[in-house]
Amino acid sequence: MSESTPPPWWKGATVYQIYPRSFADSDGDGVGDLNGVLNHLDHLQYLGVDALWLSPIFRSPMADAGYDISDYCDVDPLFGSLADIDRLIAEAHARGIRVLLDFVPNHTSDQHPWFIESRSSRNNPKRDWYIWRDEPNNWRAALNAGSAWTWDEHTQQYYLHLFLPQQPDLNWRNPEVVEAMHGVLRFWLDRGIDGFRVDVIHCTGKEPSFADDPRCLAGQPLVEFNDQPYSHEVLRGLRRLVDSYPGERVLVGEVNIRATERVLQYYGAGDELHMSFNFQPLDAPWEPVMFRTCIRDVEALLKPANAWPTWVLSNHDNSRQRSRYQGSLRSAHAAAVLLLTLRGTPFIYQGEELGLEDAVIDPDEQVDPGGRDGGRAPIPWLAAPPHGWYGRPPWLPFPPDSEVLAAERQLREPDSTLALYRRLIAARKRSPALLQGDWEELPSHPNVLAYRRQFGDDHRVVCLNFADQPHAFPINGRWQVEVASDAQGENEPYSGELAAGQALILCPEEH
């Protein structure tokens, strides 16, 4: 990217993931909804994010929290209506916030009219919209669902589902399926949606001979390693469609393969995904070796390929970062500095800006078949129970310390997690180096991770101390603290030392 060419909006964006059923409830039924999101757009504007990504809002029987879709072109009544999403898009755009939807191309619900037709008879015109076989192979489904094949008594064949039996896989080799799913994207793009997070895109292409796989024999689900050339053909078609619309619409993909060199392939030659999630930090404990290795890996592989990185520390499928860091708010604050200063687009999962931990879910309260409820607990807006959720009790219990961590309370506290995220996003916006500059690792003690970001004559240095004791980190030149994870010493000269667990953004001292 030359310094005179403005980069596309998504390269400089901070994206905020909303899990709608847990964000905010407008009608008192105990489940978050689109009007709840609308009512809290001021929170997102205050935070400074540039885009929001909504986890699935489409009509669904909710066997897998909306990832089992029975109508891609309607909103589930649990969340609202098409009029509600239209209003949300308009209000978000009025605040300069773009809106991304979650597109689920690999499978539908077994209640989708397409599958109801497909399973009605072997001769139905939509039979080949799904994947049917006389004999199963050894492929394993995700979410502890066992075999990826379920027997249909009526038509005496098995159908494929890489997730739950209620989520049959579409046959993307059928041109009619391709056209129907392209129609879904057009429907939403025409309504003003700015792009899509594409669910398990690496699963759309299947091994054509349906050969057994030894990894499945060992109990591993196919979704963890399915990586077929045809998925790239599917993606190129989606990209051509999205690129035909004005306004730099974007595709960000979930390629849930824990190998950066494989994920890189899904960027294609600039003709597949605009961005793909990098999930390695989701698995990493808060320690320097893992993060140093992960960042070096991403830089070494993606930069030469001109592939733009993403960074994410939590999402709806994983434990919250603070819970993974043994409940340490100090580590969660340092991680926020890391997330918002690396080269690439950061994604913040709702509630991370409040420093939330996973909720404690008793066995009789569990909703998700994959056991992922802890990170999906409701957001506490107000300090006093029921924390802004009036009417029926919320569908899951609140996270720990909701009274203390409520958004209302943090708004008034200058050293809160919310205030830190706001300062970090603001610092990012005012620095070309942080938005689009090069990343260069600096020599440091093994317990310190330090790097320089530079674009033209704009410079920042970021340094993180992973240790429980202070560490010297001398640096040439005169620098001042722009943002500190512990809010100490901001706008003062840098002393050359990092406090225990502290992370800093340094900028050159103004003369």
Side-chain angles (χ1 to χ4, degrees):
M1 182 71 61
S2 76
E3 293 183 22
S4 59
T5 309
W9 70 268
W10 43 267
K11 284 193 173 181
T14 300
V15 185
Y16 186 94
Q17 181 192 354
I18 290 178
Y19 194 72
R21 61 175 52 227
S22 300
F23 189 68
D25 178 16
S26 70
D27 58 8
D29 66 354
V31 178
D33 46 49
L34 291 173
N35 285 329
V37 177
L38 183 72
N39 294 342
H40 288 279
L41 282 179
D42 287 349
H43 175 79
L44 303 189
Q45 192 171 16
Y46 173 82
L47 193 57
V49 299
D50 304 286
L52 63 89
W53 147 36
L54 292 167
S55 289
I57 56 166
F58 314 108
R59 196 174 281 269
S60 167
M62 302 291 169
D64 182 21
Y67 284 92
D68 52 316
I69 294 168
S70 56
D71 187 347
Y72 287 93
C73 298
D74 197 9
V75 172
D76 196 276
L78 195 64
F79 300 129
S81 65
L82 284 172
D84 293 334
I85 186 67
D86 288 343
R87 189 161 54 247
L88 177 59
I89 294 166
E91 290 289 339
H93 284 173
R95 289 167 166 80
I97 298 172
R98 288 177 163 89
V99 182
L100 310 182
L101 292 184
D102 213 318
F103 177 54
V104 186
N106 180 67
H107 47 264
T108 69
S109 165
D110 62 349
Q111 301 303 306
H112 196 293
W114 299 344
F115 188 69
I116 291 172
E117 279 196 57
S118 183
R119 78 187 311 178
S120 66
S121 82
R122 290 198 185 194
N123 301 321
N124 188 277
K126 285 192 170 62
R127 183 66 169 183
D128 194 42
W129 281 43
Y130 295 83
I131 297 169
W132 295 90
R133 282 175 63 80
D134 292 328
E135 295 292 336
N137 58 17
N138 74 352
W139 293 357
R140 307 288 297 175
L143 305 178
N144 305 309
S147 171
W149 299 93
T150 288
W151 176 251
D152 179 64
E153 188 65 35
H154 179 62
T155 58
Q156 298 284 297
Q157 277 189 313
Y158 293 88
Y159 66 86
L160 180 67
H161 54 89
L162 296 192
F163 291 85
L164 299 175
Q166 297 96 320
Q167 294 168 288
D169 280 31
L170 284 162
N171 176 15
W172 274 86
R173 293 180 186 270
N174 184 330
E176 293 177 1
V177 169
V178 174
E179 185 50 41
M181 293 299 271
H182 284 192
V184 169
L185 291 187
R186 289 189 197 97
F187 177 86
W188 290 108
L189 290 165
D190 290 343
R191 292 188 104 87
I193 285 296
D194 298 288
F196 302 91
R197 177 263 192 188
V198 189
D199 186 62
V200 294
I201 186 60
H202 63 296
C203 290
T204 51
K206 310 296 194 291
E207 202 281 316
S209 72
F210 295 95
D212 284 347
D213 193 293
R215 291 167 289 190
C216 288
L217 197 60
Q220 192 175 1
L222 191 75
V223 299
E224 293 182 4
F225 55 85
N226 189 78
D227 188 17
Q228 291 294 319
Y230 194 73
S231 296
H232 299 282
E233 182 66 24
V234 171
L235 252 181
R236 284 189 287 270
L238 300 181
R239 175 65 179 265
R240 283 192 297 271
L241 191 159
V242 166
D243 280 352
S244 72
Y245 279 77
E248 298 177 330
R249 316 291 176 104
V250 67
L251 294 175
V252 54
E254 181 197 23
V255 181
N256 205 353
I257 302 170
R258 297 299 210 259
T260 305
E261 68 276 9
R262 297 310 309 157
V263 172
L264 173 60
Q265 304 309 310
Y266 289 80
Y267 287 81
D271 60 351
E272 295 185 37
L273 293 171
H274 296 89
M275 298 182 282
S276 184
F277 283 118
N278 162 31
F279 288 123
Q280 290 187 42
L282 285 171
D283 303 326
W286 186 246
E287 61 93 25
V289 174
M290 290 289 287
F291 275 95
R292 186 176 274 116
T293 304
C294 174
I295 298 163
R296 285 175 180 170
D297 192 33
V298 167
E299 282 292 316
L301 289 165
L302 268 63
K303 191 170 187 193
N306 201 28
W308 189 250
T310 64
W311 297 99
V312 58
L313 293 175
S314 295
N315 65 20
H316 63 291
D317 283 332
N318 290 268
S319 188
R320 287 191 177 277
Q321 65 207 48
R322 186 177 168 194
S323 293
R324 298 200 315 275
Y325 305 156
Q326 287 72 53
S328 168
L329 193 57
R330 185 181 75 181
S331 297
H333 283 186
V337 175
L338 180 75
L339 176 71
L340 287 156
T341 58
L342 289 169
R343 193 181 73 88
T345 298
F347 286 73
I348 299 169
Y349 178 49
Q350 64 177 43
E352 294 307 313
E353 79 280 15
L354 303 178
L356 300 182
E357 292 182 79
D358 290 346
V360 177
I361 309 294
D362 293 331
D364 61 330
E365 296 173 311
Q366 183 172 323
V367 176
D368 178 53
R372 298 163 294 184
D373 292 323
R376 299 176 176 184
I379 299 296
W381 293 104
L382 303 179
H387 307 302
W389 289 69
Y390 300 108
R392 272 195 222 156
W395 70 289
L396 284 175
F398 285 98
D401 303 321
S402 285
E403 292 85 353
V404 176
L405 298 175
E408 170 194 47
R409 179 163 283 179
Q410 295 201 33
L411 278 170
R412 301 194 295 264
E413 296 172 355
D415 59 349
S416 67
T417 308
L418 180 60
L420 171 64
Y421 270 84
R422 190 166 184 246
R423 294 197 307 280
L424 286 168
I425 292 170
R428 190 178 158 77
K429 284 182 190 294
R430 44 174 193 263
S431 170
L434 290 178
L435 287 177
Q436 53 182 315
D438 290 335
W439 180 92
E440 176 198 358
E441 188 175 359
L442 299 175
S444 64
H445 185 279
N447 277 327
V448 173
L449 173 62
Y451 47 92
R452 183 190 306 272
R453 301 292 312 280
Q454 179 175 352
F455 187 82
D457 58 2
D458 188 46
H459 300 256
R460 294 293 184 277
V461 167
V462 181
C463 36
L464 300 94
N465 179 11
F466 286 81
D468 288 328
Q469 59 275 342
H471 258 296
F473 179 68
I475 182 170
N476 291 332
R478 297 166 62 87
W479 297 82
Q480 71 180 34
V481 177
E482 185 174 13
V483 180
S485 60
D486 56 2
Q488 300 302 304
E490 292 186 346
N491 302 314
E492 296 175 11
Y494 171 55
S495 67
E497 184 175 87
L498 297 166
Q502 186 184 48
L504 301 176
I505 303 176
L506 306 177
C507 59
E509 274 195 353
E510 295 176 7
H511 298 293

